[in-house]
Amino acid sequence: MALDVTRIKTGRLFDELAHLWPLVSQPEEYREEAGHWRQVLREKLGPGRHQILELGVGGGHNLSHLTDEFDATAVDISEKMLAHSIRLNPDVEHHQGDMRSVRLGRTFQAVLIHDAVSCMLTERDLLAAFKTAAEHLRSGGVLIVSPDFYADTFSGPVFDHGTHTIGDTELTYFEYTYDPNPRDTTIETVMFYLIREKGRLQIEHDRFVCGLFLLNTWSGLMAEAGFQFEKRSFRLRGMEREYVLLVGVKDQG
Ligand SMILES: C[S@@+](CC[C@H](N)C(=O)[O-])C[C@H]1O[C@@H](n2cnc3c(N)ncnc32)[C@H](O)[C@@H]1O
């Protein structure tokens, strides 16, 4: 029986399937990239135990590699994902909120938006998230974001898979990212989770709609929100495309 993709509910991994998150993603997988975030933070802010804010912290996997050197606060829209991050990062202050509108009423030296920035589907949403970042930064403060893909270079389909086991549960995921409509600002990832528990195999599916923007759009919107824009490229082991961090330094005054 064929399954119509548009009937697959979106974002289940951050909601009703959030219990699967630790089986889909492991903190250790973020160690190398977190090293580049640390390098940029040190370069821009210098030594010291600076205060940083992550928007869309998810399970807090990337953040878990930065908390030994920085004092962190974290925001996510999903209570269930926050619960994972709280378990992993018990010393971090956590808040539930939407990165487009949350206002904590205080400032930080850096704001980080890791892959959660892909949840911004329109230029308007992206600008709102950048304005949130600007509101939470002092002059000279640093914004770092890491979009997964750019409209300039995206070439689908992109396929990934992995298997992880925790206790008696083994999960294999298949991840397929493609562009259903090249004329809009989104792409789509379809996921299948094969969960083996006590000799039984159960299959769940999931779908994520993600923003896809030109590099010029990223830089233009960052400038509009009051940032000096910089693109930093790195190489990660086992990753064919370059790993890019978009860095904004909040304008003085
Ligand atoms: C892929 S996960 C982030 C994983 C994270 N990078 C880590 O290291 O664990 C994406 C997260 O973005 C969150 N999110 C989506 N839209 C959001 C929004 N508008 N505001 C805040 N968080 C949002 C989701 O709830 C989810 O937890």
Side-chain angles (χ1 to χ4, degrees), residues 44 50 73 78 82 109 118 132 135 150 166 168 189 245:
K44 297 291 178 195
H50 302 293
T73 299
S78 158
L82 277 174
Q109 276 126 325
S118 302
T132 299
E135 284 284 322
Y150 298 86
I166 298 179
D168 292 340
T189 297
L245 297 182

Side-chain angles (χ1 to χ4, degrees), residues 14 21 30 56-62 76-78 81 97-100 114-116 119-120:
F14 307 144
W21 170 257
Y30 294 71
V57 70
H61 289 186
N62 198 52
D76 200 280
I77 203 166
S78 158
M81 292 303 285
D98 187 321
M99 70 173 85
R100 293 165 293 189
H114 192 254
D115 49 0
C119 298
M120 300 297 102

